[in-house]
Amino acid sequence: MDTGESVRITLRSIRAHKLRSALTVVGVVIGIASVITFATFGASVEAEIVGDIETSNAGNIYVFGTPSGDDDFDRTLQPVFTEHDIQQLEGIAGVEAVLPRGIVQTQSVRHGNQTLARQQVTATRPASFTPGVLVEGRSFETDEEAVVVNERMAGSFSENLTAGERLTMTMPDGSERNVTVVGVVNGTRGEVPVSEFARQPRVYVPIDPFYESVVESPSAGVRQRAYPQVTLVVDPREIPETQSAIQTYLSGESDARSLSADDTELIARSGNDFVEEISDVIERITRFVTGIAVIALVVGAIGIANVMLVSVTERTREIGIMKAVGARNRDVMQVFLVEAALLGTIGSLLGVPLGLLVGYGATRYAEVTFSLAPLWMALAVGVGVLVGVVAGLYPAWRAARVDPIDALRHE
């Protein structure tokens, strides 16, 4: 029996049981759509985050300390990079700017009658704000009682903050400092890479007069400001060489090395390093969640197997007639395998556009750019067809084993 004849018999059987066939296909559609949805959403989130980082942090190298113990995260924020270290880093070939960052402790930030508790206030240099990141206003100047806020912070109040408005910061000792908002930004040159939709409300202040964390410099022998994290802006074409030189200094005679615990590693990472790590994490999460969605495909396969077994029982007499007129076991098996494969194929073809539609809706809700996952789409379709074939193997084998004499007696 040729394949065309098997397809005609299959289509006739499906048309004869439209509702049953449709319900069987639904299981595969849901499975394929789930896989496509999760894979597409994962690819979209990855593209959004990686795109943001590559665009805004291509020439940055981030310097910080990381403890070896999993329960020592607080030591990552210890101020160990002194002004002496800053000066030495500025002298490394390829370094265009050094941007130290420190945390200013506050109880709250108030605007008008609205108070926000425990807002992150970061001390940094004016060079952190380039014209490209300024949405409104300007950067602050050194020694200025002024702040710059990011867009998330500006939108945290009932009335959006704009340049020229006043804020009141309550310090840990209960004293208050009135400052002027001079600018609104969508990021800084010194930020550790993070996607726009993951950024937190943040206030930026000049190091002098707000940042007061000091330590005694082992090299200079005097007390100096010290910072928990430093960002170096370098020529993107010289990142490998500059990163190596920075790492060599940190591991050698730096103040940070002397001030850090023995099990703390001082690290210099480029934006590309963060991109690779973030991409790897997102891909793992996508594979895990998509793997869970494959369970729906297993349910669809069980549905196909169940329907095919019922079909074999209903068509026992038809199988007997086919064998009586010369059909071989493999011909009978082919008919049922084609039917199972066709149900899987139809489910796959319907599941792809449904998955893309739901995935698109998810990206709109999360406010990320929609991106396709071609490999996952092809894999999902292939698995859908395979599920149909595998689910139809046992029913097809059972149909081929039907005795023609007993089949002709079947009512």
Side-chain angles (χ1 to χ4, degrees):
M1 181 183 299
D2 60 23
T3 305
E5 183 63 24
S6 298
V7 172
R8 282 192 289 273
I9 294 174
T10 295
L11 292 175
R12 186 169 62 245
S13 173
I14 291 175
R15 284 196 296 268
H17 304 90
K18 294 184 180 68
L19 180 59
R20 185 175 70 188
S21 299
L23 293 176
T24 303
V25 167
V26 166
V28 180
V29 170
I30 293 175
I32 296 295
S34 299
V35 171
I36 296 294
T37 297
F38 288 122
T40 300
F41 184 71
S44 300
V45 172
E46 180 180 358
E48 180 78 9
I49 294 176
V50 171
D52 285 349
I53 295 173
E54 288 181 337
T55 299
S56 59
N57 300 277
N60 287 358
I61 294 179
Y62 306 90
V63 175
F64 53 91
T66 178
S68 58
D70 294 335
D71 57 347
D72 292 331
F73 177 75
D74 286 343
R75 278 199 280 144
T76 302
L77 302 177
Q78 291 300 309
V80 295
F81 299 99
T82 64
E83 292 288 352
H84 173 78
D85 285 337
I86 303 300
Q87 293 172 4
Q88 296 301 310
L89 291 171
E90 288 174 334
I92 294 177
V95 174
E96 298 176 355
V98 178
L99 307 173
R101 296 168 66 85
I103 298 173
V104 176
Q105 301 295 336
T106 62
Q107 291 185 18
S108 63
V109 176
R110 186 175 74 249
H111 173 57
N113 296 323
Q114 188 174 0
T115 300
L116 302 179
R118 302 182 63 83
Q119 293 302 306
Q120 184 167 356
V121 179
T122 302
T124 188
R125 290 180 171 178
S128 294
F129 310 104
T130 60
V133 302
L134 282 168
V135 176
E136 179 186 353
R138 59 173 176 84
S139 173
F140 49 64
E141 301 294 337
T142 303
D143 300 330
E144 186 179 13
E145 290 282 339
V147 301
V148 170
V149 299
N150 66 0
E151 290 181 298
R152 287 293 174 93
M153 185 65 189
S156 296
F157 294 96
S158 55
E159 295 183 6
N160 283 359
L161 280 176
T162 58
E165 297 193 49
R166 301 281 287 176
L167 286 179
T168 300
M169 298 192 303
T170 303
M171 311 311 289
D173 61 2
S175 62
E176 294 185 345
R177 299 184 74 162
N178 295 315
V179 294
T180 302
V181 177
V182 295
V184 179
V185 295
N186 58 13
T188 74
R189 297 169 76 189
E191 280 185 320
V192 172
V194 64
S195 177
E196 175 61 32
F197 71 85
R199 289 193 176 124
Q200 299 300 314
R202 189 167 296 178
V203 178
Y204 302 96
V205 298
I207 292 173
D208 193 3
F210 289 93
Y211 189 65
E212 299 175 349
S213 179
V214 296
V215 298
E216 183 172 342
S217 167
S219 300
V222 296
R223 294 182 68 79
Q224 298 180 340
R225 284 193 177 96
Y227 309 91
Q229 188 246 320
V230 179
T231 300
L232 296 95
V233 181
V234 304
D235 186 341
R237 295 168 297 181
E238 301 178 6
I239 284 180
E241 297 82 3
T242 307
Q243 186 175 2
S244 177
I246 294 169
Q247 189 67 63
T248 300
Y249 170 73
L250 294 175
S251 303
E253 300 300 321
S254 67
D255 282 353
R257 180 66 278 166
S258 300
L259 295 170
S260 299
D262 293 338
D263 60 347
T264 297
E265 182 182 4
L266 300 178
I267 295 177
R269 288 187 179 175
S270 67
N272 289 334
D273 294 333
F274 282 101
V275 166
E276 292 174 2
E277 291 180 6
I278 292 172
S279 295
D280 183 57
V281 170
I282 294 176
E283 286 176 3
R284 289 184 182 184
I285 295 174
T286 300
R287 285 197 296 268
F288 174 74
V289 176
T290 305
I292 295 176
V294 171
I295 295 175
L297 276 177
V298 175
V299 175
I302 294 173
I304 291 178
N306 181 53
V307 167
M308 295 307 299
L309 285 171
V310 172
S311 181
V312 169
T313 302
E314 290 181 345
R315 296 162 65 183
T316 300
R317 185 173 179 81
E318 179 184 339
I319 294 171
I321 295 173
M322 290 173 61
K323 287 192 170 184
V325 297
R328 293 163 294 183
N329 285 349
R330 70 178 185 183
D331 294 328
V332 175
M333 191 170 183
Q334 177 179 300
V335 168
F336 284 89
L337 273 180
V338 168
E339 182 172 344
L342 188 58
L343 289 173
T345 302
I346 294 173
S348 298
L349 295 178
L350 293 177
V352 169
L354 177 60
L356 290 175
L357 183 62
V358 177
Y360 178 79
T363 59
R364 293 301 89 197
Y365 178 78
E367 297 181 355
V368 297
T369 304
F370 179 71
S371 297
L372 295 175
L375 179 61
W376 278 103
M377 291 170 59
L379 185 62
V381 173
V383 170
V385 176
L386 183 63
V387 159
V389 173
V390 172
L393 278 175
Y394 175 70
W397 174 81
R398 183 172 173 177
R401 303 261 311 167
V402 171
D403 182 85
I405 300 207
D406 291 339
L408 289 172
R409 290 174 180 168
H410 184 80
E411 295 295 334

